[in-house]
């Protein structure tokens, strides 16, 4: 499912126009992104939790040249499914 299909599902499920559903989805994604950038977790009960995972710097190997390279530390977004979502999938 892509963003357009998701907007259509939201519009149909909530009785909104596609324009309003797109605005709501965009606002939701922006709020989640802003919270993660600020270092906060976003917990949606029954759905899951978005959080930031910090990966330390490490040494890797360039597969083409076999030379050792330094991989810098970075932050990555992480999602952990909630119990209701996990149960629905199984």
């Amino acid at each position: 499912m892509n963003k357009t299909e998701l907007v259509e599902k939201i519009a149909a499920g909530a009785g909104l126009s596609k324009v309003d559903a797109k605005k709501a989805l965009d606002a939701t994604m922006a709020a989640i992104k802003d919270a993660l950038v600020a270092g906060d977790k976003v917990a949606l009960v029954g759905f899951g939790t978005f959080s930031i995972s910090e990966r330390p710097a490490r040494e890797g190997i360039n597969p083409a040249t076999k030379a050792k390279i330094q991989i810098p530390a970075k932050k990555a977004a992480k999602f952990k499914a909630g119990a209701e979502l996990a149960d629905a999938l199984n």
Side-chain angles (χ1 to χ4, degrees), residues 52-56 74-76:
I52 293 292
S53 173
E54 295 197 25
R55 297 182 182 169
K74 72 180 218 172
K75 294 179 183 177

Side-chain angles (χ1 to χ4, degrees), residues 30-49:
I32 292 171
K33 179 181 143 192
D34 291 345
L36 293 176
V37 168
D40 296 334
K41 283 184 180 180
V42 178
L44 303 172
V45 176
F47 184 71
T49 302

